[in-house]
Amino acid sequence: MNEKRVTFASKVGVIAAAAGSAVGLGNIWRFPSQTADGGGAIFILVYLGCILFFGIPLIISEFIVGRSSQANTAGAFHELAPGAPWKWVGRLGVLTGFIIMGFYMVVCGWTLDYLVQSLTGSLHKVNDFSANFTSLLNNPLRQIFWMILFTLLTAFFILSGVKKGIEQSSKIMMPMLFLILIILAVRAILLEGASSGLSFLFMPSLEHVKPTVFLDAMGQAFFSLSLGMGCMITYGSYFNNRINLTKTAMQVAVLDTMVAILAGVIIFPAAFALTANPGTIVDELVAGGPGLLFITLPGLFNQMPVSMLWAAMFFCLLALAALTSTISLMEVVTLYLHEEYRLSRKMSTFIVTAGVIVLGVISSISAPFFNLLDISSAKFMLPIGGFFISLFVGWYLDKKMVYAQLTNQGTLKTAVGFLKTYIFLLRYIVPPAILAIFVYGLTG
Ligand code: PHE
């Protein structure tokens, strides 16, 4: 892959695109329901540990693999380790991306449906938000319609090219999303009874902890950071040589974590404050499943003046945040077909779109299938990918090359201690920890 590749135009664009991939439904929809399921604060503590010990080193690693190879996910391994079986790590990543899209697009569809409900004012008139969400779940055609629309929208951006599509859209919507989340968080905290939601979120209690908490939190960390499948490899391949990989990785991790925590600070205070049965709210949350966001938030909007406007703005921004994530997912799979099979970008996009729609239709019809795609990708495929990426960068790649990437050929003053710690984590901490979590989660 030696032809001159397009690169992102600016530093802000790089962060916006990488953070745009990371920040999405994973933070705002999946994180709260996983936190509820995992019993609150303890889950969050484990999650933060995963971000720190797996997340940041692995984002840096994917950036290194991408930028040094200048290729798609599978091609990158091929380029750096010609003839070796490492390319299967890339192929696994491509498959994982495809599987994630197969359920993610359905949730993207839900956000569009809720956007329309907000715009027409029908959401505003709902009395039972739980029944309102269930009626969407029980209507496969409605879900399929929005899912297809969202998939086509993503394909449109993929076809319109890297810079214009990804960079521009991320740059505008990320700050807006942040702003509205802060407003909603303030509103939620000010509700009467909100404080028990905050303690559920921040005061560790062992009461609802499950033995799978490590597996669940690790999966969520990988999912939320778009790690383990080569999204960050693909984006790293568009970075120029002046981008500071470590700094960018940290910025992405911090932004992503802030958005997830903010989403928690919106959902939990609101859920505790607005519930009709405070006695059983924790059990309800634990049992809640994927509907939390779509059930709790409309209740919060109804507590605000001009509720329709807030709801519409929120679901619009959420859809955009999801879009920057689906763009990154589709880009991985499309670029793979384009570069490895020499298909045109158009043809590659067409094939991926059709495949995703097929999976999306099945996920819309069958909740068990939806869950299967969610669990297998987030809890297994991504961490397995991460396991091999850390072995690849920690043990296989030439350390001099890794250091050159981290220091931009010696032009950045990166502390030697940092470089050593980074390699140590990749070699001795990340792989065994991922294995231990698998063993513990599956047998515990
Ligand atoms: N990180 C995205 C989110 O949180 C989802 C995603 C996962 C995107 C894996 C790309 C790769 O919504």
Side-chain angles (χ1 to χ4, degrees):
M1 314 293 143
N2 290 330
E3 76 262 36
K4 180 112 182 67
R5 270 169 150 255
V6 270
T7 51
F8 288 121
S10 69
K11 256 193 212 158
V12 183
V14 163
I15 296 165
S21 165
V23 175
L25 296 171
N27 309 60
I28 296 167
W29 159 73
R30 201 174 185 280
F31 177 79
S33 51
Q34 290 285 312
T35 304
D37 185 55
I42 297 260
F43 176 88
I44 296 191
L45 279 179
V46 179
Y47 176 77
L48 292 177
C50 291
I51 296 284
L52 206 63
F53 289 107
F54 305 150
I56 294 177
L58 281 175
I59 308 182
I60 302 177
S61 305
E62 290 205 14
F63 283 168
I64 291 179
V65 172
R67 189 170 68 174
S68 59
S69 64
Q70 302 275 298
N72 70 82
T73 307
F77 288 96
H78 192 57
E79 189 81 11
L80 298 172
W86 286 107
K87 60 176 176 293
W88 285 98
V89 181
R91 290 183 182 156
L92 173 76
V94 172
L95 180 69
T96 312
F98 183 60
I99 289 182
I100 293 178
M101 280 189 276
F103 75 94
Y104 200 87
M105 291 293 184
V106 177
V107 186
C108 294
W110 298 347
T111 62
L112 289 186
D113 187 284
Y114 269 69
L115 173 60
V116 171
Q117 287 189 48
S118 318
L119 288 173
T120 58
S122 69
L123 188 62
H124 187 55
K125 298 195 198 89
V126 168
N127 292 320
D128 182 345
F129 293 113
S130 176
N132 183 51
F133 181 64
T134 312
S135 81
L136 171 62
L137 288 190
N138 290 338
N139 190 337
L141 279 186
R142 202 167 122 201
Q143 294 184 73
I144 289 171
F145 173 76
W146 293 118
M147 178 275 298
I148 292 181
L149 194 70
F150 207 98
T151 310
L152 293 178
L153 197 66
T154 308
F156 169 78
F157 273 86
I158 293 294
L159 284 176
S160 77
V162 178
K163 276 190 202 161
K164 263 194 306 185
I166 306 173
E167 204 173 328
Q168 294 299 344
S169 49
S170 308
K171 252 200 283 204
I172 307 167
M173 52 82 22
M174 292 283 296
M176 277 176 67
L177 178 70
F178 216 76
L179 193 69
I180 194 166
L181 287 177
I182 291 178
I183 296 173
L184 293 178
V186 171
R187 182 66 197 98
I189 292 175
L190 293 178
L191 291 171
E192 200 175 323
S195 58
S196 18
L198 287 177
S199 19
F200 178 74
L201 206 53
F202 296 122
M203 304 280 286
S205 121
L206 287 175
E207 203 182 333
H208 293 278
V209 175
K210 298 183 178 163
T212 54
V213 63
F214 291 98
L215 187 60
D216 299 343
M218 173 171 77
Q220 176 59 25
F222 274 91
F223 188 84
S224 191
L225 291 175
S226 310
L227 270 186
M229 55 146 294
C231 246
M232 296 299 172
I233 295 182
T234 301
Y235 276 13
S237 79
Y238 297 132
F239 289 1
N240 67 38
N241 286 329
R242 290 181 309 280
I243 300 292
N244 182 334
L245 300 185
T246 311
K247 207 164 121 193
T248 309
M250 291 194 184
Q251 281 161 335
V252 170
V254 168
L255 273 175
D256 187 71
T257 307
M258 285 198 326
V259 172
I261 301 279
L262 258 180
V265 171
I266 298 169
I267 302 274
F268 290 99
F272 277 76
L274 301 175
T275 180
N277 357 309
T280 54
I281 176 71
V282 175
D283 299 315
E284 272 171 42
L285 286 177
V286 171
L292 192 53
L293 173 75
F294 295 93
I295 296 168
T296 302
L297 263 192
L300 177 65
F301 294 130
N302 272 2
Q303 301 288 315
M304 301 171 69
V306 282
S307 63
M308 259 172 73
L309 188 73
W310 290 111
M313 252 166 59
F314 173 80
F315 285 113
C316 179
L317 287 168
L318 184 61
L320 287 171
L323 183 64
T324 53
S325 300
T326 54
I327 289 174
S328 73
L329 283 159
M330 199 181 266
E331 177 70 16
V332 168
V333 187
T334 308
L335 190 66
Y336 169 73
L337 293 182
H338 174 54
E339 291 188 350
E340 295 300 298
Y341 294 93
R342 306 254 162 236
L343 299 173
S344 69
R345 249 190 108 89
K346 256 203 191 123
M347 189 60 191
S348 314
T349 314
F350 177 79
I351 295 174
V352 179
T353 306
V356 168
I357 288 178
V358 171
L359 285 187
V361 167
I362 309 177
S363 299
S364 306
I365 297 170
S366 153
F369 186 76
F370 177 105
N371 289 332
L372 177 74
L373 297 191
D374 176 341
I375 292 170
S376 60
S377 59
K379 292 186 189 164
F380 295 98
M381 298 174 81
L382 293 177
I384 290 172
F387 174 83
F388 285 109
I389 291 170
S390 79
L391 291 183
F392 183 70
V393 177
W395 292 99
Y396 183 87
L397 282 187
D398 176 27
K399 244 186 357 206
K400 282 209 192 75
M401 191 278 260
V402 172
Y403 285 175
Q405 281 291 332
L406 285 175
T407 60
N408 290 353
Q409 323 298 331
T411 55
L412 294 174
K413 286 194 196 58
T414 312
V416 181
F418 170 81
L419 298 175
K420 291 224 159 95
T421 315
Y422 166 73
I423 294 287
F424 181 81
L425 279 173
L426 287 186
R427 286 191 164 183
Y428 302 106
I429 305 291
V430 176
I434 293 177
L435 280 187
I437 289 177
F438 274 143
V439 172
Y440 183 72
L442 294 176
T443 55

